[in-house]
Amino acid sequence: MDILNGLMQGFSVALTPMNLAMCFLGCLLGTIVGVLPGLGPPATIAMLLPLTFKMDPTGAMIMLAGIYYGAKYGGSTTSILLNVPGESSSVVTCLDGYQMARQGRAGAALGISAIASFVAGTIGTVLLMLVAPPLAKLSLAFSSPEYFALMVLGLAMVVLLAGDSLTKALLAMTFGLWIAGMGTDLFTATSRFTFGQTELLGGIDFVIVAIGIFAVGEVMANMEPEKPLDMLPVPKGLKNLFPTLQDLKDCRFAFMNGSIIGFFIGVLPGAGATISSFLSYGLEKAVSKHPEKFGTGVIEGVAAPEGANNADTAGALVPLLTLGIPGSGTTAILLAALVLWGFKPGPMFIEDSPAMFWGLVASMYIGNVVLLILNLPLVTVFAQLLRMPGYVMYPLILGVSMVGIYTINSSVFQLCLLAVFGLVGYAMRKLDFPTAPLVLGLVLGDSMEKALRQSLMMSQGDLSILFRPIPAVLLSIAAFLLIVPLIKKFNSVRAQVIDKEA
Amino acid sequence: MSSFTRKGDFWAGLVMAALGVFVVTQAYGWDYMTEDGPGAGFFPLWYGIVMVVLSLLLVAGAVLKEGAKAKTVRWDDMRRAMTCWIAFSVCVGIIKFVGFMLAFGLLIWFIIAIMFGRPQRIALPYAIGGAVGFYALFTLALELQLPVGTLF
C-alpha cells in the first residue's frame, strides 16, 4: 500500500508540465549521446550538472536520469548500423545486430532493440520500486563501521571488475582517494595537499574532475586519427521498423532474461551494464535451440543484451538511493548531484525526500514510453547524427565544459584544473587505467575516511569495532574479491613455469 | 632506449610512485593519532603506502614482462590529442585577458581550420557563430555569467 501511495505521489510530481518537459529533454539528450560514439552519459551528465544548480532539483534529477537510461536506447543504433558500440554496454549488440543489418534486417534489429529496452526498462523500474524501500529499512541498522565496510566492499567490486589490470584499478582508486583528501580536514582543521593555494582549501570540486576526465579527456582521445565509418542504411517507413510476430515470439524469453539479469547485476556495485549484457547474451545462447546461429544475426541476440543494459540502470539506482553507494562512474556523478542539491541519499532518503524518490521512479515509467516513441519512428533522424563532423561536436563539448565549470563559482583557477584533469583523463585512456575506480574513490573517499575515523573514535582506536558481524562479513567479502584474482594470477604464472620446464 | 622505457606502464608507475612518496611524506607531518581518535595523517598515510607499493609493482611488471605485451607509447597518435589540449589550455589561459567569447571563438577556429584543415569559409562562420551562440544561450537565455576579460 505504501508503494502504491508513493507511486501515486510520484506521478503527481512527474506529470507536471515542467517535469514532463525535463523527462523528454533528458530522454532526447540521452538518445543523442547514446547514438554518438565517444560521448557517453557520464560526460554529458557531468557537463550539464553545473547548469542545473538554478533548477528545481526534482526536475533536474529527472532530466539527468533520463540521459542515463536514454543513452542505453541510443547506443544500440550505432552498434547495429556501424558495428561500433555507441555505449560500452552495446558491444554485444554488435554481434547479431550488425549481422542482421547486413542481411537487410536493420529495421527489425532497431525495432526489437527499442522494444526490448522498453520492456526491460519498465520491469527494472517495477523491481526498483519493490526492492528499494525494504532495503532502505534494512540498512537503517547501519552505523559508521557498517558504512565503512560497505564502501570498502563497493570499491573492491568496482576495482575487481574495472579493466584487465587489478594494479591499475587499485592505483586509480588511490588517486581518487588522494584528490578527495585535498583541502581542510574537517576533524582537525589541518590543510592537506593544498600546495599553498587558497583555492584548494575547500578541496577540488567533484564536477571539475568528472568533466575533465570524461568530457575533455574523451575529446582529446577522439582527436586521434581514425578510419572513416561506413554506415549501413536505415530502412525508410515505420512499418519496416516493426519486428514480425514471429520475431516477438522468438524474443519472449530474451525480454525476461534481459530484465531480470540486467536488474540484479545492476544492483551489484561495479558490475555494470556491459557485464549484464554479456551475461544475458550468454544465457540466451545457452538455452537457445540453435546456439550455433548466435553471431550470425539472430534476433534474440539483440533483444537479450539490449534488455539487460536497460534494466541495469534501474538496478544501479537501488544502492545509490538506499545506501548512498554508487556502483559506477555515472551513478557516482548522480550521487554528487543529489548531494550538491542538498539531498542525502541513504536509508532515510525515501522517507525524507519522497517527492524526489517517487517522482524519479514515476518519471522512469514515463521516460521509457517517451524513449520507445522517440526511438522507433525517429531512429532515421538520430542515425543522421552519426554524420555530424567531429569539428562541430568537439568544440561544443569543450565550450559547454568550460561554461559548466565557470558557473560553479566563477573561478578561472578551476578552468585550469579542468585542463589538468582533461590531460589526466586522456593519459588514463592511453595507458588503460580504468576511470570508474578513480571517480568512485573520489566520491566515496571523504565519506569513507569520515566513517573510519568516526568508528575508531567510537572505539577509542580499537580496530575490533570493524569486526562486528556485519562489517566483518562485508570486509571479508571485499578481501576475498581482491585476493582471488591474485591467487588465480599466481596459479597461471605457476602453470606457465611448469609448462616451460616440461 | 631500453624496451621497458618505451612502455607506458613504466612511466605511469614511476609518476604514481613519486606521488605516493609525496603523500606519505606529507602524511608523516600530520598527526597520526590524537586523543580524540585518528588524526589528519591517518588515512593518507595508509593509502599513500598502498600507492607506493602498487606503483612499484607496475614498474616491476613493465621491466620484467617479456615481449611487447604491455602497451608502448605511440607518440605519433598522441600528437593531435596533445595539440588539442595545448589549444584548450591556451584558451583557458587567455580567458582572463580577452574574455570567453574571443577565447572560445579562437579555439573553435583553431580546431576547425588548423586541426581539421577545413577552409576559412567554414572555420570563420563556425567560430563566430559558436561564440555568439554560446553568449546568446548562456548569458541571455539562461542568465549565466561567462568569463569576462580585462580587454573585453
Side-chain angles (χ1 to χ4, degrees), chain A residues 51 54 167-168 170-171 178 185 192 220 223-224 391 395 399 406 419 426 430-432 449 452-453 457, chain B residues 8-9 23 36 38-40 42-43 47 54-55 71 77-78 80-81 85 104 118 134 143-147:
Chain A
L51 307 180
K54 284 187 180 173
T167 313
K168 287 182 180 177
L170 282 166
L171 270 173
W178 176 62
D185 172 35
R192 297 190 298 189
M220 286 175 69
M223 283 289 175
E224 289 185 2
Y391 62 77
Y406 191 75
Y426 174 68
K430 289 300 291 176
L431 297 166
D432 294 332
E449 181 178 7
L452 176 63
R453 286 168 75 176
M457 279 163 81
Chain B
D9 286 1
V23 170
D36 298 326
F42 180 83
F43 199 56
Y47 70 71
L54 291 168
S55 309
K71 217 172 177 176
D77 286 355
M78 291 167 64
R80 272 173 66 85
W85 183 75
F104 183 51
R118 302 288 144 181
F134 264 61
E143 296 177 357
L144 294 170
Q145 195 200 343
L146 293 179

Side-chain angles (χ1 to χ4, degrees), chain A residues 146-352:
Chain A
E146 285 78 15
Y147 266 108
F148 171 73
L150 197 62
M151 285 185 261
V152 171
L153 176 62
L155 278 175
M157 289 194 75
V158 172
V159 162
L160 178 75
L161 296 166
D164 296 335
S165 164
L166 190 65
T167 313
K168 287 182 180 177
L170 282 166
L171 270 173
M173 183 201 73
T174 53
F175 188 64
L177 293 177
W178 176 62
I179 301 168
M182 285 181 174
T184 309
D185 172 35
L186 291 178
F187 287 79
T188 59
T190 308
S191 300
R192 297 190 298 189
F193 309 115
T194 55
F195 304 98
Q197 299 282 334
T198 47
E199 285 98 335
L200 287 177
L201 284 173
I204 292 184
D205 206 302
F206 167 79
V207 181
I208 300 170
V209 184
I211 297 182
I213 284 177
F214 290 116
V216 180
E218 195 68 55
V219 167
M220 286 175 69
N222 286 324
M223 283 289 175
E224 289 185 2
E226 270 186 13
K227 286 182 197 163
L229 301 170
D230 188 18
M231 190 170 82
L232 295 172
V234 184
K236 285 186 181 140
L238 190 57
K239 78 173 184 204
N240 291 322
L241 287 168
F242 278 109
T244 61
L245 271 178
Q246 185 58 46
D247 288 338
L248 289 171
K249 211 175 141 193
D250 289 344
C251 291
R252 58 183 194 270
F253 177 74
F255 291 150
M256 290 316 292
N257 159 20
S259 307
I260 307 290
I261 289 193
F263 180 81
F264 286 104
I265 295 292
V267 172
L268 300 175
T274 312
I275 290 176
S276 65
S277 57
F278 268 103
L279 277 179
S280 65
Y281 183 84
L283 181 64
E284 196 61 38
K285 191 175 171 180
V287 299
S288 170
K289 287 175 189 159
H290 47 78
E292 73 288 349
K293 286 187 183 165
F294 273 68
T296 62
V298 288
I299 201 156
E300 306 96 287
V302 177
E306 276 307 308
N309 69 33
N310 277 273
D312 173 273
T313 48
L317 291 177
V318 173
L320 170 72
L321 300 176
T322 59
L323 302 170
I325 309 269
S328 66
T330 316
T331 47
I333 299 169
L334 290 176
L335 173 69
L338 285 166
V339 173
L340 285 169
W341 296 324
F343 293 93
K344 207 179 164 203
M348 296 303 291
F349 179 71
I350 300 175
E351 279 199 19
D352 289 347

Side-chain angles (χ1 to χ4, degrees), chain B:
Chain B
M1 213 186 206
S2 311
S3 65
F4 64 82
T5 56
R6 289 180 56 81
K7 289 175 183 166
D9 286 1
F10 175 77
W11 295 107
L14 282 187
V15 171
M16 291 301 287
L19 178 63
V21 170
F22 169 72
V23 170
V24 171
T25 49
Q26 290 282 301
Y28 259 119
W30 303 318
D31 287 332
Y32 179 78
M33 218 27 119
T34 66
E35 281 179 6
D36 298 326
F42 180 83
F43 199 56
L45 183 72
W46 284 105
Y47 70 71
I49 291 171
V50 172
M51 206 183 249
V52 173
V53 172
L54 291 168
S55 309
L56 294 178
L57 280 175
L58 196 63
V59 173
V63 174
L64 299 175
K65 219 178 255 178
E66 283 177 30
K69 242 189 161 184
K71 217 172 177 176
T72 52
V73 181
R74 293 168 66 176
W75 297 104
D76 280 351
D77 286 355
M78 291 167 64
R79 199 180 300 137
R80 272 173 66 85
M82 291 313 294
T83 309
C84 171
W85 183 75
I86 291 167
F88 180 67
S89 302
V90 169
C91 170
V92 166
I94 62 171
I95 271 184
K96 251 186 178 172
F97 308 105
V98 300
F100 178 81
M101 278 182 67
L102 190 56
F104 183 51
L106 284 171
L107 176 68
I108 301 177
W109 173 83
F110 182 83
I111 290 176
I112 299 177
I114 308 294
M115 294 195 64
F116 282 85
R118 302 288 144 181
Q120 294 298 340
R121 66 185 160 79
I122 293 178
L124 282 175
Y126 267 118
I128 296 167
V132 173
F134 264 61
Y135 179 77
L137 176 66
F138 292 108
T139 306
L140 300 181
L142 296 174
E143 296 177 357
L144 294 170
Q145 195 200 343
L146 293 179
V148 181
T150 44
L151 298 177
F152 301 102

